[in-house]
Amino acid sequence: MERLEINQPQNYQQPKLDRFLVCGLGSNGQNCVVALREFGVKAIAIEQVQPQNWEIPDLPNLLEDLIIGDCRQNSILLQAKIERCRAALLVTSNEQVNAETALAVRQLNPRTRIVVRSTKENLNRLLSEQLGNFIAFDPNQLPATAFALAALGTEVLGLFKLDGKLLMVGQRLIKSGDSWCNRFLYDLNSRKRRILAHLHSSSNLPSLHQWNPDTKIIHGDTIIYIEATDRFSPDLNHRQTSRRERKSFGKIIVGFWLNVKNFTNSFLQLSFQQQIRRVAFFSGIIVLVLLLIGTILLKWYYPETTWFSAFSATAILLLGGYSDLFGEFEPITTIPWWLQLFALELTVVGTVFVGVLYALLTEALLSSKFQFVKRRPPTPQNNHVVIVGLGRIGKQVATLLQEFKQAIVGISLALDFDRSFLPQMPLIVGNLKDSLPKANLATAKSVVVLTDDEILNLEIALMTREINPNSNLILRTYGQNLSNNWTQLLPNAQILGVYAVAAEAFAAAAFGENIIDLFRLNNQTILVTEYELETEDTLNGLLIAEVAYGYGVVVILHQKPSFASTLMPSDDLKLAVGDRLVVLATINGLRRVEEGNLNLINKCWQVRIEAALTSDALFEGANIISRISGCDLNTARELMNHLPDILSTPLYQHQAQRLVRELSQCMVKARLVALSIEI
Amino acid sequence: MSHESVNSQQLKLAALSDALCSAMKYGDEGFAIAVRILENETGQMRLTAYHVIWQQLDETGKQKLLQYLSQR
């Protein structure tokens, strides 16, 4: 497909791209400004009207300039110095405005990277092909996996696919008898697994790489790791329990009785709570009473008739059939006047109340839209996940949780909810008061609150805490202020600010990185980020170990051009132009990569080589030193020929410890020499 | 990576090493200049600059370098 013809000015020096533009200062836009600030840059913002209140109070100070106007207009974009913008983040809540602005930006500056908030996948693909250097995100979709995994309440923190391989970020609490107990941390790293963090029972979760490879794992430790896996089973124990439950006849009876009890309770509650149902209830009662009285009276007055005939005659009268029984104009002497009058009364009253019942029945049929779809399974009794709010993000979370084979129930507060969605999911549609009691909240494992209304989310969260204080509560917010306040109000809840989390991905994308996925670790967002190395890249020419420990990221995939990709690559690979790299990083790590700001303070570990026990060890030792430290092979051989001596290249701690281990395996005696500084 | 760009990068690294080695011959002032050069470099050039300076220093000098970097 041919790209748009761009009016590219010729024959003049192109201005330096050193600015960042944010169009739209809603919640998403404000969070993007903050995230850009984390990268050390100030943004120029365009907003249609002067904001009266800032969600992030300090935001005006984070802006280089604020321009009031329509970001689709060239004049406004020029005012924002679009010709000097390295990236434009188009994050207004109106997708049409974002798309139009993207076209305008590309016309004015073919070099600007365009990052767009959009949910339209097909349009995004076409725009990406036409405009180039374009990426689109749906801020609601990015954190969906994070919500779903939080709802699992298990040890799975992240889950994503890379080159068709499933990768899982897990958290493991070491119990006595655990197969990892008494092993060294370095020993857990393999071709399929990387350790991300380690904490003792009393300590807080440290940052990536802040663990000592030579530490022995003990009971009570927690290990955070990433692992390639063939199949994902988040909650095996629960599924085994369910299977056992199905086999138990006693539990079937108990379950049935609970079902009946729940149904009765909810029916009674609904009848008295809802006006319309109360009318139906009373109409039905009155019709039944009249049917009973009529049948008894007719049978009493005509003892020769049967009970069924008396019942039929009363029913005919209640259904408006007075004329069928007393249709003759001539006087009826065989039936006393009072009985005829009672029959007339039955018809009149019956017409009114049966009419009401007909009306309600018609209304119920019409509101069901004649969707005679397969009946959904009943609400799970216990250990299930309740998803309140089935908007776009709610649907994604529900779909993911079903894929994870979780027992779930969805609650939609929108009466016009598409009832064909996930037919195997128990679904409750209706207002909050009616719906929550039906969801068996008291026995739920997790409650995920995802409606579009933040205050409603808070109300639901508080109700949930009241009914089930032990449940795993996950809450969606939009604003930064609310997120902070709610953390104090609901200390054990996991509160995810959708825009704050997504903004980090938007900001990282502005710098040209491809954000594959994200997950939350220790209240930080970890971005799964892909790089393709270019000539001036700050990753170029470095060992993977230097990238990892110098920039504070975890390299999980490496690919040389025209070779297959390798998961959990060796620390000793040297990166070159054209290589593809996928890392796990916080926004701080990405900023370091962007700036090329390698951490050198930690590169202070020295290795003293004492002796080589054999001549082979002398030769092999030099190879190992050169491979792990990245020093010249001649330098390494020179060192091995003048033992004992200290390797002149300083190393990071993990690098140095591995060098000592590998040297010792090939019969070379070596030890660490740490250089301590007073900071 | 083309041979030209590889050569260009190697030339840059060699020039940087020479400049730093020269600077380090001039005592504390030379050290300050070398560290300033290091601070302005990024990625592989930054790492090379660090290695060159490190290798010119004794234990006290190395501690001084780390102290200086930790205060930045």
Side-chain angles (χ1 to χ4, degrees):
Chain A
M1 194 180 285
E2 283 185 21
R3 289 200 169 168
L4 278 180
E5 288 298 317
I6 306 295
N7 299 327
Q8 191 167 2
Q10 301 290 323
N11 300 329
Y12 80 101
Q13 200 180 359
Q14 290 184 324
K16 195 180 171 193
L17 298 180
D18 56 358
R19 292 171 186 242
F20 289 82
L21 174 65
V22 176
C23 294
L25 282 181
S27 189
N28 197 7
Q30 291 187 42
N31 279 293
C32 282
V33 172
V34 173
L36 283 170
R37 187 69 189 150
E38 300 266 313
F39 271 96
V41 296
K42 274 192 170 186
I44 299 171
I46 302 177
E47 176 59 69
Q48 203 158 21
V49 290
Q50 176 73 41
Q52 297 301 312
N53 295 306
W54 295 102
E55 182 184 296
I56 296 161
D58 196 33
L59 199 90
N61 295 331
L62 303 180
L63 288 171
E64 187 177 333
D65 196 5
L66 171 62
I67 296 160
I68 305 298
D70 187 342
C71 57
R72 290 170 292 186
Q73 290 176 3
N74 287 359
S75 59
I76 296 291
L77 289 170
L78 287 170
Q79 203 183 327
K81 300 185 178 67
I82 188 67
E83 72 281 1
R84 288 184 59 184
C85 283
R86 180 170 165 185
L89 283 73
L90 315 178
V91 289
T92 76
S93 53
N94 186 327
E95 294 196 12
Q96 190 182 333
V97 170
N98 294 343
E100 286 177 29
T101 311
L103 292 168
V105 168
R106 185 51 82 238
Q107 288 290 334
L108 292 170
N109 190 345
R111 296 188 298 151
T112 299
R113 180 161 175 81
I114 300 172
V115 185
V116 176
R117 170 185 177 173
S118 171
T119 56
K120 295 183 171 58
E121 280 180 26
N122 193 39
L123 175 68
N124 297 339
R125 186 179 53 78
L126 293 169
L127 282 175
S128 177
E129 287 170 0
Q130 289 282 347
L131 302 179
N133 205 5
F134 171 101
I135 192 162
F137 293 114
D138 175 359
N140 287 308
Q141 190 177 8
L142 281 168
T145 316
F147 276 110
L149 292 173
L152 289 178
T154 62
E155 297 173 335
V156 182
L157 304 175
L159 194 70
F160 54 91
K161 272 192 172 177
L162 264 186
D163 291 2
K165 289 158 199 153
L166 195 60
L167 289 160
M168 182 192 77
V169 180
Q171 174 175 306
R172 183 154 162 175
L173 175 67
I174 306 296
K175 295 170 186 161
S176 54
D178 191 306
S179 60
W180 287 8
C181 212
N182 294 321
R183 287 175 71 178
F184 288 104
L185 277 170
Y186 71 78
D187 197 26
L188 297 181
N189 278 340
S190 68
R191 300 286 295 271
K192 285 191 159 187
R193 189 192 304 126
R194 275 281 179 282
I195 300 301
L196 304 181
H198 165 247
L199 73 158
H200 291 297
S201 45
S202 56
S203 60
N204 291 323
L205 196 64
S207 305
L208 302 175
H209 297 310
Q210 284 184 358
W211 50 277
N212 185 346
D214 289 341
T215 305
K216 210 170 216 181
I217 301 165
I218 54 166
H219 167 250
D221 285 3
T222 301
I223 314 283
I224 315 279
Y225 61 97
I226 180 166
E227 192 171 54
T229 175
D230 300 328
R231 244 176 86 228
F232 174 63
S233 61
D235 205 358
L236 193 61
N237 290 338
H238 168 58
R239 279 191 285 162
Q240 281 167 347
T241 309
S242 303
R243 230 175 281 136
R244 276 199 299 274
E245 274 179 359
R246 276 201 294 278
K247 283 176 188 167
S248 159
F249 181 72
K251 285 191 177 174
I252 290 173
I253 298 294
V254 171
F256 176 75
W257 170 241
L258 278 173
N259 270 336
V260 171
K261 209 172 138 185
N262 282 344
F263 176 79
T264 316
N265 283 340
S266 59
F267 174 77
L268 286 176
Q269 279 172 1
L270 288 174
S271 301
F272 291 105
Q273 281 166 3
Q274 284 190 314
Q275 194 71 22
I276 200 157
R277 297 208 177 190
R278 201 185 302 164
V279 170
F281 182 73
F282 282 115
S283 300
I285 293 286
I286 288 170
V287 169
L288 277 175
V289 168
L290 288 174
L291 190 63
L292 198 68
I293 294 170
T295 306
I296 291 168
L297 266 179
L298 287 176
K299 175 69 182 158
W300 174 69
Y301 193 77
Y302 293 105
E304 65 275 15
T305 191
T306 62
W307 278 105
F308 184 72
S309 298
F311 172 81
S312 296
T314 314
I316 289 167
L317 288 168
L318 281 169
L319 291 170
Y322 181 81
S323 60
D324 297 337
L325 296 181
F326 305 101
E328 302 295 321
F329 183 67
E330 290 162 16
I332 304 164
T333 50
T334 51
I335 301 171
W337 65 268
W338 59 267
L339 193 55
Q340 287 185 52
L341 199 64
F342 177 72
L344 182 63
E345 192 192 348
L346 276 182
T347 296
V348 173
V349 176
T351 304
V352 173
F353 288 102
V354 173
V356 170
L357 290 176
Y358 276 147
L360 292 173
L361 191 64
T362 309
E363 189 258 340
L365 278 173
L366 288 176
S367 66
S368 75
K369 296 179 186 171
F370 294 100
Q371 287 175 350
F372 298 111
V373 288
K374 202 177 160 192
R375 197 177 163 82
R376 286 175 182 270
T379 304
Q381 288 303 315
N382 54 41
N383 211 21
H384 55 292
V385 180
V386 181
I387 305 163
V388 189
L390 291 172
R392 222 170 40 238
I393 193 165
K395 282 180 176 175
Q396 284 166 6
V397 172
T399 308
L400 282 168
L401 286 172
Q402 274 220 328
E403 280 174 19
F404 297 162
K405 309 266 186 278
Q406 295 296 295
I408 59 173
V409 55
I411 298 179
S412 174
L413 307 180
L415 295 175
D416 59 347
F417 180 74
D418 173 14
R419 293 175 194 244
S420 61
F421 173 73
L422 286 184
Q424 284 307 308
M425 175 184 75
L427 175 68
I428 302 165
V429 180
N431 66 45
L432 193 61
K433 270 190 175 175
D434 298 334
S435 307
L436 278 188
K438 292 182 192 171
N440 296 333
L441 265 189
T443 51
K445 172 175 75 175
S446 301
V447 181
V448 194
V449 190
L450 300 168
T451 80
D452 294 333
D453 183 339
E454 283 183 311
I455 300 303
L456 183 63
N457 287 352
L458 177 63
E459 185 185 346
I460 297 167
L462 292 171
M463 284 167 78
T464 304
R465 269 285 167 268
E466 214 170 75
I467 297 168
N468 185 352
N470 298 321
S471 67
N472 184 23
L473 181 62
I474 300 104
L475 210 55
R476 170 200 192 180
T477 64
Y478 297 95
Q480 193 65 42
N481 287 346
L482 285 175
S483 293
N484 295 340
N485 296 336
W486 290 7
T487 309
Q488 292 166 6
L489 199 62
L490 299 158
N492 296 323
Q494 296 186 59
I495 298 163
L496 292 183
V498 173
Y499 291 136
V501 171
E504 296 189 22
F506 275 85
F511 287 88
E513 281 81 352
N514 181 21
I515 307 301
I516 295 170
D517 208 327
L518 56 83
F519 60 90
R520 300 281 291 170
L521 174 61
N522 191 27
N523 286 326
Q524 277 192 314
T525 304
I526 306 289
L527 298 154
V528 184
T529 311
E530 184 182 45
Y531 291 95
E532 280 203 18
L533 270 64
E534 294 166 3
T535 315
E536 297 296 318
D537 217 299
T538 58
L539 300 165
N540 195 15
L542 299 177
L543 295 175
I544 284 185
E546 290 160 349
V547 170
Y549 312 123
Y551 291 129
V553 301
V554 178
V555 180
I556 56 169
L557 182 141
H558 172 253
Q559 185 175 21
K560 287 262 174 219
S562 65
F563 283 89
S565 60
T566 314
L567 284 178
M568 317 304 167
S570 160
D571 271 1
D572 308 334
L573 288 171
K574 195 165 203 163
L575 299 175
V577 170
D579 285 7
R580 177 175 162 243
L581 205 66
V582 179
V583 304
L584 304 182
T586 60
I587 199 161
N588 191 36
L590 294 186
R591 193 194 68 196
R592 274 186 171 277
V593 175
E594 165 64 20
E595 293 173 348
N597 182 16
L598 280 160
N599 180 336
L600 299 174
I601 305 162
N602 295 338
K603 202 172 197 302
C604 61
W605 291 74
Q606 302 180 105
V607 175
R608 182 180 169 85
I609 319 292
E610 304 285 2
L613 302 182
T614 64
S615 56
D616 281 353
L618 210 63
F619 179 79
E620 190 53 33
N623 291 345
I624 291 170
I625 290 169
S626 172
R627 174 166 54 82
I628 292 181
S629 73
C631 77
D632 189 51
L633 188 58
N634 290 333
T635 311
R637 297 227 181 281
E638 188 70 16
L639 168 70
M640 291 303 283
N641 289 331
H642 296 89
L643 297 180
D645 201 355
I646 289 179
L647 173 64
S648 61
T649 309
L651 301 173
Y652 291 102
Q653 183 188 2
H654 288 212
Q655 243 185 326
Q657 286 172 317
R658 194 161 61 86
L659 178 57
V660 171
R661 278 198 306 274
E662 290 205 17
L663 286 174
S664 117
Q665 281 165 10
C666 82
M667 315 288 277
V668 176
K669 276 185 170 180
R671 64 181 172 88
L672 291 178
V673 182
L675 210 65
S676 62
I677 53 162
E678 291 170 14
I679 300 173
Chain B
M1 196 194 246
S2 68
H3 287 298
E4 283 162 20
S5 58
V6 171
N7 288 339
S8 157
Q9 184 70 6
Q10 282 175 347
L11 284 173
K12 275 186 198 171
L13 289 169
L16 177 70
S17 301
D18 287 347
L20 289 167
C21 286
S22 305
M24 292 294 286
K25 288 175 187 162
Y26 294 93
D28 282 351
E29 284 179 14
F31 173 75
I33 291 169
V35 171
R36 223 173 298 149
I37 293 172
L38 164 68
E39 287 286 282
N40 288 327
E41 292 298 345
T42 61
Q44 192 189 10
M45 297 287 276
R46 179 174 164 82
L47 198 69
T48 304
Y50 178 69
H51 286 170
V52 171
I53 297 172
W54 180 274
Q55 283 158 7
Q56 306 282 322
L57 296 168
D58 58 10
E59 291 302 290
T60 319
K62 285 171 187 171
Q63 284 184 340
K64 196 172 146 191
L65 174 65
L66 292 174
Q67 191 91 40
Y68 180 85
L69 290 174
S70 68
Q71 287 164 358
R72 303 296 292 175

